[in-house]
Amino acid sequence: MKRMYHYATVSDALTELGEKGYTTDFNLKEEDIITNSLHYEIEHVYRYEGNSDPGDEAVVYGIKATSGEKGVFVAGFAASDSEAAQVLNEMSIRGRENAESN
């Protein structure tokens, strides 16, 4: 599936994804994302950049697990992000590169 990149507020992104059935909070499953990243696919990416405060910058991932479970992972842009956020960012970059080469 081609990944979709959206620009919206974090709350709008969470609401829209929730309406599409992305209800699991994958922030609570960080360790599994890190150790089993092949079990997850990023289907949607919402990016939000605050007008003046870098603390407002965030990425919301709409993720589908191989089990069929759908949910979200919210990560800030800060360098101190979790290892799971770094794994998801790498997955997102690879997905864009693969889409561009097809």
Side-chain angles (χ1 to χ4, degrees):
M1 170 180 255
K2 184 176 179 182
R3 287 174 181 80
M4 302 171 73
Y5 299 88
H6 310 280
Y7 296 85
T9 65
V10 172
S11 61
D12 286 347
L14 293 173
T15 298
E16 185 173 322
L17 286 168
E19 291 169 355
K20 293 179 179 182
Y22 294 81
T23 56
T24 299
D25 182 354
F26 281 119
N27 285 78
L28 301 175
K29 299 185 177 191
E30 285 189 47
E31 192 61 38
D32 194 53
I33 289 171
I34 295 164
T35 58
N36 298 300
S37 64
L38 294 178
H39 295 167
Y40 298 93
E41 178 182 355
I42 298 170
E43 295 189 319
H44 300 273
V45 178
Y46 290 77
R47 297 187 185 277
Y48 178 67
E49 298 180 19
N51 291 332
S52 60
D53 183 359
D56 289 341
E57 298 176 354
V59 179
V60 179
Y61 295 98
I63 301 171
K64 183 176 181 182
T66 54
S67 66
E69 184 177 29
K70 292 170 33 174
V72 296
F73 188 97
V74 180
F77 283 163
S80 62
D81 276 347
S82 69
E83 187 176 350
Q86 293 171 10
V87 168
L88 290 169
N89 184 50
E90 290 170 13
M91 289 170 58
S92 176
I93 290 168
R94 282 193 305 267
R96 283 185 296 224
E97 290 170 349
N98 291 340
E100 289 171 2
S101 66
N102 290 332

